[in-house]
Amino acid sequence: MATLELYSKGASVWIPDPDAVWVSAQLLQDYSHGEKHLLLQLSDGKVSLEIMSSPTGLPPLGNPDILEGENDLTALSFLHEPAVLHNLRVRFLGYSSIYTYCGIVLVAINPYEQLPIYGEEVIDAYSGQDMADMEPHIFSVAEEAYRTMTREEKNQSIIISGESGSGKTVSAKFTMRYFAVVGGATQQTSVEERVLASNPIMESIGNAKTTRNDNSSRFGKYIEIGFGRKGDIIGANMRTYLLEKSRVVFQASAERNYHIFYQLCASRELPEMRSLRLGENAPEHFRYTKQGGEMQIPGTDDLSDLERTRNAFTVLNVQPDQQMELFRILSAVLHLGNVNIQASGRNSDRSYIDPGDRSLAVFSKLLGVEGPQMAHWLCHRRLAVGGEMLVKPMSGQQAVEARDALAKHIYGQLFTWTVQRLNSALRTQRGQAKSFIGVLDIYGFETFDRNSFEQFCINYANEKLQQQFNRHVFHLEQEEYIREELAWSRIEFSDNQQCISLIEGHLGLFDLLDEECRMPKGSDESWVRKLYDQHLNSEPHPHFQKPRMSNSSFIVLHFADMVQYECNGFLDKNRDTVFEELINVLKASQVDLCYISKLISFLCDWEITNLCLSAGKCVLCGQRKCSHREKNSCISVSEQIVYYFRQSLQFDPRRTVQQLRACGVLETIRISAAGYPSRWTYEEFFSRYRVLLQGPQSEEQAQASIRKALPQLIPDPDQYCFGKTKVFFRAGQVALLEKLRAERLHVAAVIIQSRVRGWMARIRYTRILWAAVTIQRYWRGALARRLALTLRHTKAAIVIQKTYRMVVVRQLFLMIRQATITIQAFTRGTLARRRYRQLVAECAAVLLQARVRGWLARQAYRRVHAAVVFMQCCWRRRAARRELLKLKTEARSVEKYRELNKGMEVKVMQLQLRADQEVGGEFQMDLILEQDSLYKEREDLSARLLDQEKTQEECVHEAVSQASAALRAELDEERRKYQGLLREFTRLEQRYDNLREMSLLTEIFAYVLFYVVSNYFSVLTSPLSPDTSSCPSPTKPATVTGLLECRKRDEAKLIKNLITGETEPYIRVDSALSLPPGLPASVLFLCVRQADCSGDQTRARSLCSAAVTAMKAALKVTSGFEPAWSTIWLWSNIKRAVHVMSGRLSLTENDLIRALSDLCIQAYQQLLSITEKRLQNIIVPALLESETIPGLSAVKLGTSRKRAGSDPRNVGCDVLTMASVLRELGALHTALSRQALPPTLMEQAFHQLTYLISATALNSLLLRKDICCWSRGMQIRYNVSLLEEWLRSRGLQAGGAVGTLEPLIQAVQLLQAAKKTDADAGALVQTCTTLSSQQIVKILTLYTPHSDLDERVTLNFIRTVQGLLKGRSEGQPPQLLMDVRRVFPVTFPYLPPAVLHAEQLVIPDSLKISFLHRA
């Protein structure tokens, strides 16, 4: 079938459009050869008639739906401009993906917004992964370069190109950060820090604001990052080229000068900057910073940027005083621009500078030069005429140009010096780099409304790079064909050698420019006339044209576009003349500062022969050398290309096509299309097109079946070719096979439908016949039952009527009877109540009369009683007075007094005794009453207090619970921070020891150290016997028994035998694990305990310190080895030491316990680190890629990206399954169980490991399109269920280990759930609660059907899900991947130690500690 037959009814084609560039249309009728028109229906429903002059004018065909959104453009069946544009549009707008592969090229579209795809978790996800398996990303390109460099030991380069504002600089920083993280081996050394610190410095002195970009790089740079034998960064080197020095003295409207000038102006108020005299209103004060009118960039802070720049200088060992001297020169450049040059003379052929010019004085003071000399030579020049030197004045314009040339020269040389200073700081200190990866950040092809010398140089460099790149792509194609042993012919592709020859060839543009620069009176106009004469009249060149309306410009037909250059300024910019006299003035600087004098000498270190008329050739040659140098250093090695397109949130088709052409992406596609762009492995082809094959169909005979059937499917043998492992197709043949497959499936579907419809019709007739008979039978039965029911209803109606009538009469009788009884009851009640009220009234009257009469009688009695008492009192008072007089008379007689006194003493004593008895009785009664009242009051108060206490207890309990929860959260956070700091301290300490020792350790030594620490833990966790549970007084050491005594001279030997080994470097691990748990720790603790109880605290501290130091050394040694058994053994012993030491020693134990606790945390973290390293490389193959359920997952479709020149995967490697993961976890669990560790610690350890497994697997799933399908989701769910079952069988589910798998489980459920209706969207949102909004949308975007029974997820469904997730995503951070480096804080439970006695220990002879004595 020819390609023309693909133009059938329903086929999709592309037609040009003035706005969208290309629009899709559908054929409404078949096309026949020779027809002059096509009937098309556009996407908006309109019908169009396309007129064609010849069959070659047919519109391009559209690719099959299976290739829509493909992540590699070269995998498309039809490789042409509309297909590329449509694929980029679908990926950018539909899938929100800014990266797309194009062979070895990564096409990137700048979305102008922050995306959460560059964090450390993304770096971890791409690290060590195959480029063919992951979604396109800048990190994937960097990883491919890094892996190729380490695997093949070949230097690599990454070329980042694009127009201004497309994101080249940011991508270069991301690439270097990736190398710093991956090459730093999780420890960012000073080299990586210096490599990353060079970015803010170069941005400050080399970037500026343009109309297209606020941080545009105005220079090209090439950074070589050197790597050592282990793949770690050991140095770097930077080379720059094409610095836009003209920006120093001139900026277009809405643009700025270099950032460093504005940063200096923003910091003018700082104390150290006041000596630079930058003025009060800078940068508006300086001519070199105010021309563009843009003083501030929105969203940026120049002052903080300068602080960042200074910090970067500090990282690169540039001291603050040296930085200030550098800023002095930059400030001098600003003041030089403000020097006022005035014209004088009759025809303004002279110029002068006012002697009191303030800017000149500041410039001279900053650089230490003589102001009058500088003013003189800015306005004069020296000429050699006839062997004599003459001084000639210059006009005002010439003097201004000389001043600007000096400023550009100073800045350019300062820029070069800074680069050299950075290179010296980045230079390796650890020997020669074994290999390097180069990152080239280069201008893309530029074309503006007005193009000058800068655009000419940039476009020339892009021409050279494009030529070499085309040859490199062609070379990769050849390598692929040779590897597959194809019989191929040379691929013809368009070359831009003619355009390059026009520029750099004999009598080319450069040669004529050199010649004109040497002419004494050369001008731009004369140079353009020579170009016209040479390339238009004498030898017309196909790539050179003359504009119709201009005589001062010329047109060059570049590979990307036709560019018109204005010749004004070409000669001046090429010469870049700086007069020798000005350089001599700078050389005579008298500045006292040593560092700035060196800088000035560097600025003046320029050959005099390059300063005058020959300067033009020097500059031009320098640019040529730069281009050739970058070509040789970058493209001669294996390369990765990253092209960046500048797009906003809206997709602009015209701008995209223009950039595709400018970046050479379409050229790459044309080269691929000229050969065999579509490549399928035989297994993939067999899986997809087995319906087109004939004969026995088995995967073992797939290649033979394909070789036999393909000639019948595609008669033209030139359209395909068989390789060793792949079958290759020309452009369009995949679409042809898709059409044949669709037709074959259509025919098969028709046959199946006819058979099924006949079978369904027969089944339907049988069912109808059986249903008719059944209905008749049931209908007749229903009629008979209806008659019988009628008879029964008639009889029942009569019975009901009789019964109803009886019930009605009886109810009437009962109602009348009840009414009569009710009336009688109410009447009798009324009469009784009336009689009762009468009796009550009579009784009340009688009672009132009795009460009144009693009251009157009592009143009369009280009056009589009062009168009688009064009369008695009067009489008695009278008798008492008489008796008193009588007694007074008798008292005057002494004898009477004595007689009376004798009797009075007895009476007084009797009266006193009687009074005391009476008072005591009354007092006791009062006390009893008061006690009763107090008792009652106390009971009331107790009841009230009890109620208040209950209320307060409830409030306190609630407050305590809230406070305890907050304190517990704060404690966990502090514990996490502390353990993180401890881990960082351990890493730094390890790094210091590695740098100091630089020695390799054996695995046996690691095992021995593990044995020692494990034993130490066991012993210290073992408890003492009852007689040693408390330390006795030092004066009675004989009462303590069950301890071990170690003499002072034997301490080192004890530590060596228990921890570091005596006869061997380390104790064997098998013998260590065979010992009882904690035996070394028990021995050491009993020795320390004996020294402490005997009063020798110095020896106890010494032994403890020696043990701690030895265990630290053991942990450091075992940290570098893969087996984790040593660390488990150490961890178990140290943990037990913490419990045993606490509260059992009389010496000061805080420092010891703290040191042991830190060692315990360090051993735990080291154990997890080693285990994670062992699991890291098997998680993804075992959990995501392995087929535990055979035959469920289909073979990966052939539309997946196959890079030309990439090495095929190793087929003979062992297949990793979930058994590998469970084997590692089981070995760890067994080792932990043998050390008798608490279950909570094991739960925490496996909680951390299962989180790593879940996060790593989920991150890989989110970045791999081939994993996101229904069948693969079923495989993953089964693998996860195996892990869950394993955790539950070991009783580890209580620690949250199973819960960490929930995100991965929900992601798998998302792959298996229905994804069509709004109800399905709501169910997905309710199910996936632990997944973030970005993760859900990403999985839906990557979902790829691997069979015809499945469908892609529509964009409308994805938008519906996004709408439902909008409210939930507001409080979530914009993070796509999980943080695999997250560390959960560990809590060590306190377990009271049991009794420990020396006689209980069974010490084997292998430990060789018989020198210990029992005490």
Side-chain angles (χ1 to χ4, degrees):
M1 181 183 292
T3 306
L4 293 179
E5 297 186 16
L6 294 175
Y7 289 89
S8 58
K9 182 179 180 181
S12 177
V13 296
W14 296 96
I15 60 175
D17 184 78
D19 297 328
V21 185
W22 296 95
V23 294
S24 177
Q26 190 175 13
L27 291 177
L28 297 180
Q29 63 183 16
D30 296 339
Y31 169 76
S32 301
H33 183 70
E35 292 185 0
K36 299 297 183 181
H37 63 276
L38 284 176
L39 188 61
L40 306 174
Q41 183 177 7
L42 302 180
S43 56
D44 56 0
K46 297 181 180 179
V47 179
S48 173
L49 187 65
E50 187 75 12
I51 308 298
M52 300 174 300
S53 58
S54 63
T56 58
L58 287 171
L61 284 167
N63 285 290
D65 294 337
I66 191 175
L67 300 177
E68 184 174 355
E70 181 58 42
N71 60 5
D72 190 354
L73 298 177
T74 59
L76 299 177
S77 178
F78 295 107
L79 294 174
H80 43 62
E81 184 178 289
V84 173
L85 181 64
H86 175 68
N87 198 73
L88 291 177
R89 180 192 293 111
V90 170
R91 289 185 60 81
F92 182 69
L93 298 180
Y95 298 154
S96 300
S97 178
I98 66 173
Y99 292 110
T100 305
Y101 289 120
C102 181
I104 65 171
V105 178
L106 176 66
V107 180
I109 301 177
N110 191 354
Y112 280 87
E113 64 177 0
Q114 295 293 333
L115 298 179
I117 58 175
Y118 301 105
E120 291 187 358
E121 66 278 359
V122 183
I123 295 178
D124 294 334
Y126 276 92
S127 177
Q129 300 298 323
D130 193 348
M131 188 176 181
D133 295 336
M134 308 299 288
E135 275 290 289
H137 199 283
I138 185 64
F139 291 159
S140 181
V141 174
E143 174 62 23
E144 180 76 4
Y146 183 78
R147 293 183 63 192
T148 305
M149 179 200 68
T150 55
R151 182 177 62 244
E152 301 179 2
E153 297 183 356
K154 292 183 180 179
N155 298 330
Q156 302 291 305
S157 284
I158 299 177
I159 301 176
I160 301 177
S161 181
E163 69 166 349
S164 177
S166 59
K168 302 186 300 297
T169 302
V170 176
S171 295
K173 291 193 292 185
F174 284 144
T175 304
M176 288 188 289
R177 187 164 68 90
Y178 183 87
F179 292 140
V181 174
V182 177
T186 69
Q187 305 179 31
Q188 192 178 85
T189 62
S190 59
V191 178
E192 287 86 3
E193 294 175 354
R194 289 198 296 267
V195 170
L196 297 179
S198 63
N199 290 322
I201 297 175
M202 299 307 297
E203 287 185 7
S204 295
I205 65 176
N207 289 23
K209 180 186 183 303
T210 63
T211 55
R212 296 185 178 182
N213 186 10
D214 291 342
N215 190 30
S216 176
S217 297
R218 307 316 302 162
F219 69 102
K221 67 178 178 181
Y222 175 69
I223 300 179
E224 286 184 357
I225 303 175
F227 294 85
R229 295 185 177 274
K230 297 182 180 180
D232 54 333
I233 297 178
I234 63 174
N237 184 56
M238 182 188 303
R239 285 179 280 179
T240 60
Y241 53 93
L242 293 178
L243 175 66
E244 188 182 7
K245 294 190 291 185
S246 61
R247 182 170 292 273
V248 178
V249 299
F250 173 76
Q251 306 92 42
S253 177
E255 294 190 356
R256 293 206 321 174
N257 207 327
Y258 291 105
H259 295 325
I260 188 64
F261 293 117
Y262 300 92
Q263 293 173 8
L264 290 176
C265 293
S267 63
R268 60 186 179 274
E269 298 298 334
L270 297 179
E272 63 271 20
M273 296 294 183
R274 292 177 181 175
S275 60
L276 304 182
R277 300 185 181 181
L278 294 175
E280 298 180 356
N281 56 345
E284 294 84 354
H285 176 67
F286 296 104
R287 181 181 292 109
Y288 285 166
T289 56
K290 67 179 181 180
Q291 299 180 47
E294 292 287 339
M295 302 297 111
Q296 183 67 31
I297 300 176
T300 61
D301 186 1
D302 292 324
L303 184 60
S304 60
D305 290 343
L306 179 65
E307 184 65 24
R308 193 179 303 112
T309 303
R310 297 178 71 176
N311 293 334
F313 271 120
T314 304
V315 173
L316 295 173
N317 298 327
V318 179
Q319 302 303 321
D321 55 342
Q322 299 174 354
Q323 299 177 27
M324 286 305 303
E325 294 171 11
L326 180 67
F327 296 154
R328 286 170 65 93
I329 298 179
L330 292 171
S331 302
V333 173
L334 290 179
H335 288 290
L336 179 60
N338 279 12
V339 174
N340 186 16
I341 300 177
Q342 305 180 24
S344 64
R346 181 175 302 175
N347 297 322
S348 298
D349 55 350
R350 296 175 178 269
S351 59
Y352 72 95
I353 299 176
D354 190 355
D357 191 292
R358 180 178 177 276
S359 299
L360 180 62
V362 175
F363 171 79
S364 302
K365 182 177 181 181
L366 290 175
L367 295 186
V369 299
E370 296 183 3
Q373 287 290 329
M374 181 60 66
H376 175 76
W377 291 114
L378 282 175
C379 300
H380 298 79
R381 60 178 298 188
R382 182 179 296 170
L383 297 177
V385 179
E388 297 182 1
M389 302 299 295
L390 300 179
V391 177
K392 178 184 177 182
M394 294 188 295
S395 63
Q397 181 61 31
Q398 292 175 342
V400 170
E401 293 176 356
R403 179 200 65 190
D404 294 343
L406 178 62
K408 291 188 292 183
H409 168 70
I410 293 176
Y411 192 83
Q413 292 298 100
L414 188 64
F415 183 85
T416 304
W417 176 88
T418 305
V419 173
Q420 293 183 4
R421 186 68 178 81
L422 293 181
N423 287 335
S424 63
L426 298 176
R427 190 172 296 113
T428 176
Q429 302 294 334
R430 289 184 280 171
Q432 186 68 25
K434 181 182 178 182
S435 55
F436 70 84
I437 296 179
V439 180
L440 176 63
D441 182 0
I442 184 176
Y443 294 104
F445 188 86
E446 289 189 352
T447 173
F448 301 108
D449 295 336
R450 180 180 177 85
N451 302 285
S452 186
F453 181 74
E454 293 82 4
Q455 284 71 41
F456 182 73
C457 294
I458 292 171
N459 293 340
Y460 165 63
N462 278 274
E463 285 283 356
K464 296 290 291 184
L465 288 174
Q466 183 64 32
Q467 181 191 43
Q468 191 65 23
F469 174 63
N470 289 342
R471 294 176 181 176
H472 181 67
V473 173
F474 174 68
H475 178 67
L476 292 179
E477 292 287 324
Q478 287 181 333
E479 288 183 349
E480 178 76 9
Y481 297 159
I482 293 173
R483 184 165 54 247
E484 292 291 331
E485 298 179 359
L486 299 184
W488 58 281
S489 58
R490 179 176 176 82
I491 300 176
E492 299 294 337
F493 61 92
S494 59
D495 195 1
N496 58 345
Q497 181 59 44
Q498 289 185 343
C499 182
I500 294 175
S501 300
L502 170 66
I503 298 175
E504 67 177 11
H506 179 63
L507 294 180
L509 303 185
F510 278 155
D511 277 356
L512 295 178
L513 185 60
D514 287 346
E515 180 182 350
E516 192 66 24
C517 286
R518 297 189 190 96
M519 300 297 293
K521 295 185 179 181
S523 63
D524 297 326
E525 291 76 12
S526 61
W527 176 60
V528 171
R529 286 194 296 270
K530 290 180 180 180
L531 295 182
Y532 294 160
D533 294 339
Q534 177 63 31
H535 300 293
L536 284 180
N537 301 329
S538 300
E539 298 179 3
H541 198 283
H543 289 266
F544 184 87
Q545 294 180 5
K546 176 184 178 299
R548 294 182 179 180
M549 306 300 294
S550 175
N551 292 325
S552 61
S553 59
F554 60 93
I555 298 175
V556 178
L557 277 67
H558 291 283
F559 75 94
D561 201 356
M562 181 177 64
V563 183
Q564 178 176 335
Y565 297 99
E566 300 292 335
C567 68
N568 296 332
F570 260 71
L571 265 66
D572 293 336
K573 294 178 180 179
N574 190 47
R575 287 170 178 163
D576 201 13
T577 305
V578 179
F579 296 115
E580 178 184 0
E581 293 76 15
L582 296 175
I583 300 299
N584 292 333
V585 174
L586 290 179
K587 284 184 177 181
S589 173
Q590 299 178 357
V591 68
D592 295 334
L593 298 176
C594 175
Y595 195 67
I596 196 171
S597 62
K598 292 181 180 179
L599 282 176
I600 294 177
S601 64
F602 180 83
L603 300 179
C604 303
D605 188 13
W606 206 21
E607 295 183 5
I608 303 301
T609 56
N610 295 335
L611 298 178
C612 300
L613 295 178
S614 62
K617 181 158 182 74
C618 172
V619 174
L620 188 58
C621 291
Q623 291 162 355
R624 292 181 190 173
K625 290 179 181 178
C626 177
S627 298
H628 287 290
R629 180 185 66 196
E630 300 307 329
K631 176 189 73 175
N632 295 330
S633 62
C634 298
I635 313 180
S636 60
V637 297
S638 181
E639 63 182 6
Q640 303 289 333
I641 312 296
V642 183
Y643 284 134
Y644 270 79
F645 295 163
R646 186 174 184 267
Q647 290 287 340
S648 60
L649 295 177
Q650 300 296 329
F651 190 84
D652 188 353
R654 287 183 295 181
R655 191 175 188 85
T656 303
V657 170
Q658 188 270 334
Q659 294 177 61
L660 284 171
R661 296 168 181 169
C663 291
V665 176
L666 296 181
E667 290 294 329
T668 305
I669 293 175
R670 292 189 185 100
I671 295 175
S672 300
Y676 298 96
S678 300
R679 301 153 194 192
W680 296 57
T681 64
Y682 289 105
E683 292 78 7
E684 294 167 349
F685 188 90
F686 178 80
S687 175
R688 179 66 179 174
Y689 300 111
R690 68 168 61 190
V691 296
L692 300 178
L693 304 180
Q694 299 178 357
Q697 297 184 3
S698 62
E699 294 187 2
E700 292 76 10
Q701 301 178 357
Q703 185 172 354
S705 302
I706 294 172
R707 288 179 179 271
K708 180 179 179 181
L710 200 56
Q712 301 176 5
L713 300 175
I714 305 177
D716 188 1
D718 186 56
Q719 299 299 318
Y720 61 90
C721 191
F722 296 105
K724 293 175 60 178
T725 60
K726 303 176 184 177
V727 56
F728 295 75
F729 297 97
R730 298 279 187 186
Q733 299 309 306
V734 173
L736 176 60
L737 291 173
E738 285 292 322
K739 182 178 180 181
L740 293 176
R741 180 176 179 273
E743 292 176 352
R744 180 68 59 86
L745 292 176
H746 177 71
V747 173
V750 171
I751 295 174
I752 293 173
Q753 287 177 357
S754 64
R755 298 292 189 274
V756 171
R757 287 172 180 171
W759 175 79
M760 292 178 65
R762 289 189 293 274
I763 294 298
R764 183 171 179 272
Y765 170 74
T766 304
R767 289 179 177 177
I768 291 175
L769 179 61
W770 175 83
V773 174
T774 302
I775 291 172
Q776 291 176 356
R777 183 174 69 250
Y778 276 94
W779 180 250
R780 290 168 184 165
L783 291 177
R785 286 188 294 274
R786 183 181 301 174
L787 178 60
L789 185 63
T790 302
L791 296 176
R792 285 197 299 270
H793 286 175
T794 303
K795 184 177 179 179
I798 295 173
V799 175
I800 290 172
Q801 288 177 358
K802 178 180 64 177
T803 305
Y804 175 74
R805 291 167 183 168
M806 179 191 68
V807 169
V808 169
V809 173
R810 181 174 177 82
Q811 287 179 350
L812 180 61
F813 166 75
L814 294 176
M815 183 179 64
I816 295 172
R817 181 174 178 273
Q818 182 65 29
T820 303
I821 294 173
T822 302
I823 293 171
Q824 291 175 354
F826 274 95
T827 302
R828 292 169 180 169
T830 301
L831 294 176
R833 284 190 292 275
R834 185 180 301 171
R835 177 63 180 169
Y836 172 74
R837 284 195 294 270
Q838 183 178 2
L839 294 175
V840 168
E842 292 176 355
C843 290
V846 173
L847 180 63
L848 288 175
Q849 290 175 0
R851 294 296 174 85
V852 170
R853 290 169 181 168
W855 179 77
L856 293 175
R858 285 191 294 273
Q859 288 293 106
Y861 172 76
R862 290 191 187 97
R863 286 195 297 270
V864 173
H865 182 269
V868 171
V869 170
F870 179 75
M871 289 176 66
Q872 289 177 352
C873 289
C874 291
W875 177 254
R876 289 172 183 169
R877 184 169 57 248
R878 180 179 178 184
R881 287 194 187 100
R882 291 177 181 175
E883 186 68 22
L884 178 62
L885 293 175
K886 183 179 180 181
L887 291 175
K888 284 181 180 180
T889 304
E890 291 178 356
R892 294 187 181 95
S893 175
V894 177
E895 293 179 357
K896 185 67 175 177
Y897 176 75
R898 289 177 180 176
E899 292 177 0
L900 292 176
N901 190 25
K902 292 179 181 180
M904 284 298 292
E905 292 178 356
V906 177
K907 292 181 180 180
V908 168
M909 292 178 63
Q910 294 177 353
L911 291 175
Q912 183 67 34
L913 180 60
R914 186 182 302 172
D916 291 342
Q917 292 177 355
E918 292 178 357
V919 171
E922 295 177 357
F923 182 70
Q924 287 180 358
M925 292 299 295
D926 295 338
L927 286 179
I928 291 173
L929 296 175
E930 186 176 359
Q931 184 177 2
D932 293 338
S933 63
L934 290 176
Y935 180 74
K936 293 180 181 179
E937 185 177 358
R938 187 185 66 177
E939 289 181 348
D940 296 338
L941 291 177
S942 299
R944 292 172 59 187
L945 287 175
L946 186 60
D947 296 338
Q948 291 181 359
E949 286 179 358
K950 290 182 180 180
T951 306
Q952 290 180 357
E953 284 179 359
E954 295 177 356
C955 297
V956 169
H957 179 69
E958 183 178 359
V960 168
S961 61
Q962 296 177 357
S964 62
L967 289 175
R968 191 178 299 108
E970 185 177 358
L971 179 61
D972 293 340
E973 182 66 22
E974 291 297 330
R975 185 183 293 115
R976 184 184 295 107
K977 291 181 181 178
Y978 174 73
Q979 295 176 7
L981 292 175
L982 180 61
R983 185 168 58 256
E984 182 68 15
F985 171 77
T986 305
R987 182 186 67 81
L988 294 176
E989 189 178 21
Q990 179 68 31
R991 173 180 164 190
Y992 170 76
D993 293 339
N994 292 339
L995 293 176
R996 184 183 61 183
E997 297 174 4
M998 295 299 290
S999 61
L1000 299 177
L1001 301 175
T1002 62
E1003 185 174 356
I1004 300 177
F1005 183 62
Y1007 287 159
V1008 171
L1009 289 177
F1010 175 70
Y1011 167 78
V1012 173
V1013 180
S1014 140
N1015 287 333
Y1016 182 67
F1017 252 155
S1018 305
V1019 175
L1020 293 182
T1021 51
S1022 301
L1024 295 172
S1025 59
D1027 55 351
T1028 61
S1029 60
S1030 61
C1031 183
S1033 175
T1035 60
K1036 298 179 180 180
T1039 59
V1040 181
T1041 60
L1043 303 179
L1044 294 176
E1045 180 181 1
C1046 178
R1047 290 168 293 186
K1048 181 66 176 178
R1049 63 175 181 271
D1050 295 332
E1051 289 183 3
K1053 188 177 180 181
L1054 176 65
I1055 297 299
K1056 182 182 296 184
N1057 292 345
L1058 289 181
I1059 300 178
T1060 60
E1062 181 179 9
T1063 59
E1064 299 178 0
Y1066 301 98
I1067 299 176
R1068 296 178 57 86
V1069 177
D1070 51 358
S1071 62
L1073 296 179
S1074 63
L1075 295 175
L1079 178 60
S1082 300
V1083 173
L1084 289 175
F1085 171 70
L1086 291 178
C1087 294
V1088 174
R1089 178 69 168 157
Q1090 191 278 332
D1092 181 48
C1093 292
S1094 62
D1096 192 356
Q1097 296 187 2
T1098 303
R1099 186 158 59 90
R1101 291 193 183 94
S1102 175
L1103 189 58
C1104 290
S1105 301
V1108 171
T1109 304
M1111 284 186 291
K1112 285 184 177 179
L1115 283 176
K1116 291 178 182 178
V1117 172
T1118 57
S1119 62
F1121 299 99
E1122 288 298 326
W1125 319 130
S1126 304
T1127 307
I1128 295 173
W1129 187 78
L1130 288 169
W1131 178 39
S1132 64
N1133 280 276
I1134 298 173
K1135 186 191 71 60
R1136 295 182 182 181
V1138 175
H1139 293 312
V1140 177
M1141 290 291 188
S1142 300
R1144 292 209 169 186
L1145 300 179
S1146 60
L1147 53 85
T1148 303
E1149 57 178 270
N1150 292 334
D1151 295 338
L1152 174 62
I1153 299 303
R1154 186 180 299 108
L1156 290 175
S1157 301
D1158 293 345
L1159 278 177
C1160 193
I1161 296 175
Q1162 180 181 348
Y1164 172 81
Q1165 294 174 349
Q1166 183 172 313
L1167 167 65
L1168 293 183
S1169 177
I1170 295 175
T1171 308
E1172 288 174 357
K1173 288 180 181 179
R1174 296 177 63 87
L1175 290 173
Q1176 192 69 45
N1177 296 328
I1178 65 176
I1179 292 175
V1180 173
L1183 200 61
L1184 301 186
E1185 298 177 356
S1186 64
E1187 293 192 10
T1188 314
I1189 308 176
L1192 178 61
S1193 299
V1195 180
K1196 187 169 64 174
L1197 293 180
T1199 54
S1200 61
R1201 186 176 59 87
K1202 295 293 182 291
R1203 294 182 61 250
S1206 61
D1207 293 337
R1209 291 191 177 189
N1210 297 328
V1211 183
C1213 298
D1214 295 336
V1215 178
L1216 296 173
T1217 61
M1218 279 301 298
S1220 303
V1221 177
L1222 299 181
R1223 190 182 306 114
E1224 291 289 339
L1225 296 178
L1228 177 64
H1229 183 268
T1230 302
L1232 292 176
S1233 301
R1234 292 180 62 180
Q1235 295 303 315
L1237 293 174
T1240 55
L1241 283 180
M1242 299 175 62
E1243 292 173 358
Q1244 294 180 73
F1246 282 94
H1247 177 263
Q1248 181 71 51
L1249 294 177
T1250 52
Y1251 173 80
L1252 171 71
I1253 295 174
S1254 176
T1256 303
L1258 181 60
N1259 290 350
S1260 182
L1261 185 145
L1262 292 170
L1263 298 174
R1264 294 184 58 174
K1265 192 175 183 180
D1266 58 324
I1267 298 295
C1268 296
C1269 62
W1270 180 89
S1271 57
R1272 182 58 59 181
M1274 182 68 70
Q1275 293 277 8
I1276 299 172
R1277 185 66 187 93
Y1278 179 73
N1279 293 336
V1280 175
S1281 66
L1282 294 178
L1283 181 57
E1284 289 180 305
E1285 182 180 356
W1286 185 90
L1287 292 172
R1288 291 190 175 94
S1289 64
R1290 268 71 176 177
L1292 299 173
Q1293 70 276 9
V1298 178
T1300 57
L1301 300 174
E1302 190 62 26
L1304 182 60
I1305 295 174
Q1306 292 187 5
V1308 174
Q1309 293 175 349
L1310 183 58
L1311 294 177
Q1312 297 175 306
K1315 296 176 278 292
K1316 292 183 179 180
T1317 63
D1318 294 344
D1320 296 338
L1324 288 180
V1325 173
Q1326 294 179 359
T1327 302
C1328 304
T1329 55
T1330 60
L1331 295 177
S1332 65
S1333 303
Q1334 292 80 7
Q1335 291 171 344
I1336 296 175
V1337 175
K1338 183 67 174 180
I1339 293 175
L1340 294 177
T1341 303
L1342 294 178
Y1343 186 82
T1344 304
H1346 279 185
S1347 66
D1348 296 327
L1349 302 178
D1350 203 356
E1351 297 179 0
R1352 289 179 180 269
V1353 181
T1354 62
L1355 295 179
N1356 292 332
F1357 182 83
I1358 295 177
R1359 293 191 181 99
T1360 302
V1361 173
Q1362 287 177 332
L1364 296 175
L1365 294 172
K1366 187 176 182 181
R1368 194 174 79 178
S1369 61
E1370 292 179 354
Q1372 297 178 350
Q1375 187 174 1
L1376 176 64
L1377 303 184
M1378 296 179 67
D1379 184 10
V1380 296
R1381 301 184 181 184
R1382 180 184 178 185
V1383 178
F1384 295 97
V1386 59
T1387 303
F1388 297 97
Y1390 175 74
L1391 300 177
V1395 176
L1396 179 63
H1397 199 278
E1399 282 70 16
Q1400 300 173 355
L1401 301 181
V1402 180
I1403 302 176
D1405 297 335
S1406 59
L1407 291 181
K1408 298 180 181 181
I1409 55 174
S1410 58
F1411 51 85
L1412 298 179
H1413 302 285
R1414 299 182 184 274

